[in-house]
Amino acid sequence: MALKHANDSNFTDLVKDGITFVDFWASWCGPCRMFGPIFEATSEKISGVNFVKFEIDESNRRTAAKYGIRGIPSVLAFKNGELIEARSGLMDEETLTDWIMEIQRA
């Protein structure tokens, strides 16, 4: 599926249907810049899951605060709009893929 970009205004709409993984990141974050290509490549390989990027900046603080994002990168997994799991820190592609498959099977 195509990678989507979220902000405080459209976040709820982008996570409301199916399984969605959201990458909370910032352009100034080194580990985020390393994880971004991994998240994007994984989004191209796995079907049946939505992939969303949410850049934390001055205009997008409400959603990050709502979900208690304190460190980035953080990836949150949603099922039909409900948060089911969150992980923080840099992940390699295998770890991310394994986690996604685990969520899909649950």
Side-chain angles (χ1 to χ4, degrees), residues 77-93:
F78 292 85
K79 186 170 187 179
N80 297 323
E82 182 179 328
L83 176 64
I84 54 175
E85 193 172 336
R87 295 189 180 180
S88 292
L90 186 59
M91 285 183 267
D92 60 28
E93 188 171 348

Side-chain angles (χ1 to χ4, degrees), residues 1-83:
M1 296 194 132
L3 186 67
K4 297 177 181 166
H5 294 271
N7 55 45
D8 283 340
S9 300
N10 68 358
F11 185 83
T12 302
D13 287 338
L14 292 178
V15 301
K16 70 180 181 181
D17 296 321
I19 297 171
T20 305
F21 284 80
V22 182
D23 173 22
F24 284 82
W25 70 288
S27 59
W28 47 262
C29 167
C32 296
R33 289 193 308 268
M34 292 169 42
F35 180 65
I38 294 167
F39 189 77
E40 291 171 27
T42 304
S43 76
E44 295 171 7
K45 295 177 184 176
I46 297 179
S47 61
V49 175
N50 301 309
F51 291 86
V52 175
K53 294 199 52 97
F54 188 100
E55 185 172 8
I56 296 172
D57 61 21
E58 293 297 320
S59 62
N60 286 317
R61 292 190 170 196
R62 190 176 69 236
T63 302
K66 176 180 178 180
Y67 292 104
I69 303 298
R70 289 195 160 74
I72 51 176
S74 285
V75 179
L76 277 59
F78 292 85
K79 186 170 187 179
N80 297 323
E82 182 179 328
L83 176 64

